[in-house]
Amino acid sequence: MKQLLLDNCIDMDTVLFDLDNSPYTVNMLLALLKAQGTTKNVKKNMTQYFGKKFKAEDREKVITYMKGVAHSILGTGEDAVKELEEQTGAMLIQLKTQVDNAEESGNFEDVAQQLPNIGTIVGIYTKLGGYFQTCADFLEQAVRIQNGLGEHNTAQLTQKALDSYLKKARV
C-alpha cells in the first residue's frame, strides 16, 4: 500500500486531519491498517475506485477516501461523513450547472468526463448506506448526460437505478 501511494505522489507525511490537536498522517493510517490487518482490503478498494495510477485530479479524492477510512477505524467518522457530504454537495451543484450549460449548448463532450466520477461517488455512498437521495441526485445528472450524448440505452439502465434509489429515498 505504501508503494502504491508513493508511486502516485502521495507523501507519507501528508496530514489527513488533526486528532486531539496533533496531526494524523498517511503514515499513521498505514500503521493502523497494518495493525488491524486491513491493508490488503483498503488497497484493493482504492485500486478499484482509483486504479493503480491515480490521475492528478483524483489526488484529493484519494486523500478524502483515506480520511474516511481513518475516521471510520478511529470512530471519528461523523466528521469524515460531514466533510464528504459538504464536498459532494458542492460537486453536485457544479455538475448540475455544467449539465444545464451542456443542454443549452448541445455539447456534452466535456461534461461526459464526469460520468466515472458520478459512478465513484454513487459507489462510495452506497457503501456508506442510507444516502439514497444523494445517489439519486447524481444519477439524475448521469441520465441527462447519457441522453445528451445519445446513449439512450445506457440512460434507460441508469434511469432504472435512479428510480430504485428514489423509491428507497421515499421510504
Side-chain angles (χ1 to χ4, degrees):
M1 174 102 166
K2 185 175 186 176
Q3 195 57 50
L4 173 70
L5 296 173
L6 289 172
D7 289 348
N8 286 285
C9 301
I10 307 267
D11 189 319
M12 294 300 107
D13 293 325
T14 299
V15 176
L16 297 174
F17 52 86
D18 282 334
L19 184 64
D20 300 327
N21 295 323
S22 61
Y24 194 86
T25 65
V26 170
N27 209 28
M28 295 166 89
L29 171 62
L30 294 179
L32 180 64
L33 293 174
K34 186 175 182 180
Q36 289 201 329
T38 56
T39 305
K40 192 182 238 181
N41 289 340
V42 172
K43 181 179 178 183
K44 179 181 168 193
N45 287 339
M46 281 182 69
T47 55
Q48 186 179 356
Y49 289 137
F50 304 109
K52 290 186 190 240
K53 277 296 205 189
F54 308 152
K55 296 178 190 142
E57 63 268 16
D58 285 343
R59 187 177 185 283
E60 280 304 310
K61 292 177 196 166
V62 171
I63 299 290
T64 300
Y65 178 81
M66 288 191 297
K67 285 179 188 179
V69 169
H71 281 301
S72 67
I73 293 171
L74 295 168
T76 56
E78 287 183 24
D79 293 339
V81 171
K82 186 175 179 183
E83 184 177 331
L84 181 66
E85 288 172 343
E86 289 171 3
Q87 288 181 1
T88 54
M91 290 168 65
L92 181 62
I93 292 167
Q94 181 183 15
L95 180 63
K96 282 182 180 178
T97 302
Q98 290 172 334
V99 175
D100 289 345
N101 292 340
E103 285 177 336
E104 285 178 22
S105 70
N107 182 0
F108 283 85
E109 297 307 313
D110 289 339
V111 76
Q113 295 173 11
Q114 295 295 329
L115 287 171
N117 294 337
I118 293 171
T120 299
I121 290 166
V122 170
I124 290 170
Y125 273 114
T126 299
K127 286 184 185 243
L128 287 173
Y131 288 88
F132 305 120
Q133 187 60 54
T134 302
C135 292
D137 292 341
F138 277 96
L139 288 174
E140 179 184 359
Q141 301 313 307
V143 169
R144 291 173 65 197
I145 294 167
Q146 291 162 341
N147 278 325
L149 292 169
E151 297 174 1
H152 302 293
N153 290 340
T154 305
Q156 284 179 334
L157 294 172
T158 306
Q159 182 67 48
K160 286 182 182 179
L162 169 59
D163 293 342
S164 172
Y165 280 108
L166 286 171
K167 191 181 217 180
K168 290 175 185 175
R170 284 188 221 118
V171 173

